[in-house]
């Protein structure tokens, strides 16, 4: 599932006869509505109202609010699919699956552009930060946290996400050479035990030597 | 040293008599020069040339290129001081010191604004990303990596930094509630073992339970 192809963002049933680009109108209205009221307060009904269409049309084109958000933000993958893929399979490999899935998706140029667009907005505009925070909280971390049996599951899911967001930033945006040039396998080997520890609680495995100090281990 | 007061950005010896705001002229020219050629290619000489002053004046006002950069980017702390503080003291506490130092400095509004400004520039402009990448590589990660005795020290220093950048982003910019509301002590308890592991190679210590799955440990 980590090599899942990007979900194509095509209308489920094509344009309505005589309806013009109804789907496009809904997507544009949704983008404005999410930025205006945030992810949680937006509803398929309020998006339909903003688009000037009947709510049934929103249901016609989209599988629900997360799907409208994915289309509005032009995400070429559904975070819910990514999360489902990471959570499926043996628990002792969840760190490897998460690290691999995130690095894989950032390597797809369209996905990178979309995430980078969201990140740029979020660091510059509080309304964008709120939208990202609410969407991720509800559709990503919330789903992950439900499955965790560690103390403070939401906090640990958030910290695991922070490792992967920071790593993607260093590798693909700031481009710090040792991180940018490392193979995906090297990075997965370093961060997977961390993610595993955050999400499942198993201690990290690989133990290289130490800090150059008389206080060293 | 983690509670070190921000280093005041005052001229070392005040204005030159009759020189106008020479220091301010140098700082403005430096900002342009770093963005134009990057941190590595900029020199005190090229900055002096851009400012239209004698190189001796740059040496008069600043302790070297890192200091000019800190002034140009309006950083209220010198990363070198922060790194020195983190590296001093017992090796088995380096993760705790790094996590505490980064969370402390992001809590200072002026520091947060400065880092956020750099981050905004870096995610939007490649020349800013290069400047940040080169400065951090040379003045931060390079110094840390020299002291590490783990395999791939620069890579591991970069991954440790990615955890703290990502955590600061989630706590202070995106504001995901469980991470934003957690106490500093809670966050340090979660990420310090990770940083310790990246930098020193000791396995993480705290081991909560597991993932809710039939495959769970």
């Amino acid at each position: 599932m980590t090599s899942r192809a990007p979900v194509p963002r095509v209308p489920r049933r094509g344009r309505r006869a005589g309806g013009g680009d109804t789907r496009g109108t809904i997507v544009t209205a949704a983008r404005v509505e999410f930025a205006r009221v945030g992810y949680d307060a937006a509803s398929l009904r309020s998006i339909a109202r903003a688009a000037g269409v009947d709510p049934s049309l929103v249901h016609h084109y989209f599988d629900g609010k997360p799907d409208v958000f994915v289309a509005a933000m032009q995400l070429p993958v559904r975070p819910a699919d990514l999360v489902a893929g990471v959570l499926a399979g043996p628990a002792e490999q969840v760190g490897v699956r998460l690290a691999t899935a995130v690095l894989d998706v950032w390597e797809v140029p369209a996905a990178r552009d979309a995430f980078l667009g969201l990140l740029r907005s979020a660091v510059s505009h509080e309304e964008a930060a709120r939208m990202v925070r609410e969407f991720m909280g509800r559709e990503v971390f919330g789903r992950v946290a439900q499955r965790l049996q560690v103390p403070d599951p939401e906090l640990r899911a958030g910290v695991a996400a922070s490792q992967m967001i920071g790593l993607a930033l260093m590798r693909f945006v700031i481009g710090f050479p040792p991180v940018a040039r490392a193979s995906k396998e090297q990075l997965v080997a370093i961060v997977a035990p961390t993610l595993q520890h955050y999400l499942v609680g198993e201690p990290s495995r690989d133990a290289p030597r130490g800090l150059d100090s008389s206080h060293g281990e």
Side-chain angles (χ1 to χ4, degrees), chain A residues 24-63:
Chain A
T25 303
I26 294 169
V27 165
T28 303
R31 202 172 292 134
V32 175
E33 182 71 0
F34 284 130
R36 193 175 71 83
V37 302
Y39 182 77
D40 285 346
S43 64
L44 295 190
R45 182 166 293 274
S46 75
I47 289 165
R49 199 181 310 122
V53 304
D54 192 85
S56 66
L57 276 176
V58 183
H59 286 284
H60 172 83
Y61 285 108
F62 298 97
D63 256 341

Side-chain angles (χ1 to χ4, degrees), chain A residues 134-152:
Chain A
E134 291 180 355
F135 175 76
M136 291 177 81
R138 193 163 295 275
E139 309 295 347
V140 182
F141 307 145
R143 288 162 190 260
V144 173
Q146 280 172 3
R147 296 282 304 281
L148 301 182
Q149 292 190 318
V150 286
D152 304 313

Side-chain angles (χ1 to χ4, degrees), chain A residues 9-33:
Chain A
R9 287 171 295 103
V10 295
R12 280 163 66 207
R13 278 166 256 178
R15 290 185 184 179
R16 277 180 83 230
D21 186 7
T22 306
R23 186 179 180 281
T25 303
I26 294 169
V27 165
T28 303
R31 202 172 292 134
V32 175
E33 182 71 0

Side-chain angles (χ1 to χ4, degrees), chain A residues 4-210:
Chain A
R4 177 191 294 277
V7 177
R9 287 171 295 103
V10 295
R12 280 163 66 207
R13 278 166 256 178
R15 290 185 184 179
R16 277 180 83 230
D21 186 7
T22 306
R23 186 179 180 281
T25 303
I26 294 169
V27 165
T28 303
R31 202 172 292 134
V32 175
E33 182 71 0
F34 284 130
R36 193 175 71 83
V37 302
Y39 182 77
D40 285 346
S43 64
L44 295 190
R45 182 166 293 274
S46 75
I47 289 165
R49 199 181 310 122
V53 304
D54 192 85
S56 66
L57 276 176
V58 183
H59 286 284
H60 172 83
Y61 285 108
F62 298 97
D63 256 341
K65 193 162 73 166
D67 250 27
V68 181
F69 187 84
V70 164
M73 300 305 139
Q74 305 188 283
L75 303 182
V77 285
R78 300 189 209 198
D81 291 343
L82 206 135
V83 166
V86 168
L87 289 176
E92 59 272 25
Q93 292 291 315
V94 71
V96 170
R97 287 196 301 274
L98 175 55
T100 307
V102 172
L103 292 172
D104 276 344
V105 85
W106 271 81
E107 273 176 15
V108 178
R112 192 190 309 185
D113 289 349
F115 290 137
L116 201 47
L118 270 186
L119 189 61
R120 279 190 192 120
S121 299
V123 298
S124 297
H125 306 289
E126 163 52 25
E127 63 269 33
R130 175 180 65 173
M131 193 178 72
V132 170
R133 167 171 79 233
E134 291 180 355
F135 175 76
M136 291 177 81
R138 193 163 295 275
E139 309 295 347
V140 182
F141 307 145
R143 288 162 190 260
V144 173
Q146 280 172 3
R147 296 282 304 281
L148 301 182
Q149 292 190 318
V150 286
D152 304 313
E154 293 211 320
L155 177 56
R156 284 179 165 259
V159 174
S162 81
Q163 170 62 90
M164 291 316 296
I165 291 173
L167 189 66
L169 194 70
M170 285 289 271
R171 181 170 174 82
F172 296 108
V173 184
I174 296 176
F176 177 57
V179 177
R181 287 185 200 141
S183 69
K184 190 170 68 186
E185 290 68 29
Q186 266 184 299
L187 291 177
V188 169
I190 294 176
V191 302
T194 296
L195 303 173
Q196 187 72 22
H197 174 69
Y198 288 154
L199 299 176
V200 181
E202 291 164 3
S204 304
R205 291 278 152 65
D206 65 318
R209 272 158 299 154

